[in-house]
Amino acid sequence: MQRDGRASAVALVGLGLLCQEVGASFGVLMFGLTNPVAVVAFRLVFAAMILLIVTRPRVRSFAGRQWRGIVLLGVVLTTMNVAFYLALERLALGVTVTIEVLGPLVLAVVMAKKKRAWLWAGLAFVGVAALGGGGWDRLDPLGVMFALIAGASWAGYILAAARVGREVAGVSGLALAMTVGAVIVLPAALVIDAPAFINPTIILLGLGVAVLSSVIPYTAELFALRKITESTFSVLMSLGPATASIVGWLVLGQHLTVLEIAGIVLVVAASMGAVLAAGRTAPPAEPVA
């Protein structure tokens, strides 16, 4: 039963990654119509609306500890998304996610309790470095900085989402965290580009970004984090650069070099090793009702 649970968790992570990067590519297409902060606002506002309608959370039933976890997750989500799209405005999708994934990888190394976990994390780190394609010196410094901030926030998201997943049943906590994020970012987006919010094309693209980049992946990841440990999840998320590079090539025409392909192979190998290692690691505790 536990093995089946871990297998389903891995499948959820894979689904979340694919949707995440396809949604990110839609976000790139929006850059010609509006700015990154507005893209994040559309993503969080629509995602919050959808999840609130589906879950209908009983906000009065939550304890103070649960609310603190929800607010923390909302703040981390907002920081991660804003930094990610600001980086994506300056860097290719695959490169952005390659730098961003360093956050989860560092978390995986810090939380590792077995030498084998360190081996897989190290192999994934080599793959991430190779995915740079030897062109790190040509990267926009500001874009790199935003991608690093997104990576640090991603590590924080993993910890915060795991906490909310344990303390709040279902996806109500995620719905409220999205709402917190929407409240934070929407005023800034309206100040920067209010006309975008009455443009039908931008609204439709924003809805697509919200569903693909937030609703599906975050829900999938929240359930996955109930069956596998944060460290295993972190290494699995190293598939992100590979997925992003492939989606960037197919959707945005961003081609891969031989070195980048080699990096993808290393990252996939490391992720497979993490899946095998997960069979010997106990999953986190079930969420509190």
Side-chain angles (χ1 to χ4, degrees):
M1 185 65 69
Q2 287 186 354
R3 182 173 298 178
D4 292 340
R6 286 190 294 270
S8 65
V10 172
L12 285 171
V13 173
L15 173 65
L17 279 172
L18 178 60
C19 291
Q20 181 97 24
E21 307 312 339
V22 173
S25 68
F26 282 12
V28 172
L29 297 176
M30 292 179 68
F31 287 165
L33 303 173
T34 186
N35 64 89
V37 177
V39 174
V40 174
F42 276 112
R43 175 174 173 173
L44 293 181
V45 169
F46 279 129
M49 291 172 59
I50 293 170
L51 289 176
L52 286 174
I53 292 172
V54 171
T55 62
R56 297 181 181 181
R58 298 178 180 179
V59 295
R60 295 183 180 179
S61 65
F62 294 151
R65 180 183 64 180
Q66 292 171 307
W67 274 114
R68 286 191 293 272
I70 289 169
V71 171
L72 176 61
L73 179 58
V75 172
V76 172
L77 275 174
T78 305
T79 304
M80 179 175 67
N81 279 283
V82 171
F84 176 74
Y85 281 100
L86 287 173
L88 204 56
E89 187 180 31
R90 296 165 172 81
L91 304 172
L93 177 59
V95 173
T96 300
V97 178
T98 295
I99 300 172
E100 185 189 28
V101 84
L102 293 175
L105 279 174
V106 170
L107 179 63
V109 172
V110 171
M111 298 184 67
K113 296 181 180 179
K114 296 181 179 179
K115 293 181 179 179
R116 182 172 299 180
W118 287 70
L119 172 63
W120 296 125
L123 184 61
F125 186 87
V126 172
V128 166
L131 273 170
W136 298 101
D137 58 330
R138 297 190 300 272
L139 299 181
D140 184 303
L142 192 58
V144 172
M145 183 190 73
F146 283 131
L148 289 172
I149 293 173
S153 302
W154 194 355
Y157 158 74
I158 293 170
L159 298 175
R163 172 181 171 178
V164 172
R166 288 190 295 265
E167 296 182 349
V168 181
V171 293
S172 296
L174 177 62
L176 292 171
M178 288 284 186
T179 304
V180 171
V183 169
I184 292 173
V185 76
L186 183 57
L190 288 172
V191 170
I192 295 172
D193 189 10
F197 292 84
I198 57 173
N199 185 310
T201 301
I202 297 177
I203 291 172
L204 286 175
L205 282 172
L207 178 60
V209 171
V211 172
L212 289 171
S213 292
S214 292
V215 176
I216 295 176
Y218 290 151
T219 301
E221 291 166 8
L222 190 67
F223 281 110
L225 279 165
R226 292 171 177 169
K227 298 180 182 298
I228 56 178
T229 63
E230 290 94 328
S231 58
T232 298
F233 178 82
S234 297
V235 182
L236 283 173
M237 294 304 285
S238 62
L239 273 170
T243 309
S245 297
I246 293 172
V247 171
W249 171 51
L250 293 175
V251 180
L252 302 174
Q254 298 171 346
H255 298 286
L256 300 171
T257 66
V258 174
L259 189 57
E260 288 171 333
I261 294 173
I264 290 174
V265 172
L266 290 175
V267 172
V268 170
S271 298
M272 291 176 62
V275 173
L276 295 175
R280 300 174 178 83
T281 305
E286 289 298 317
V288 177

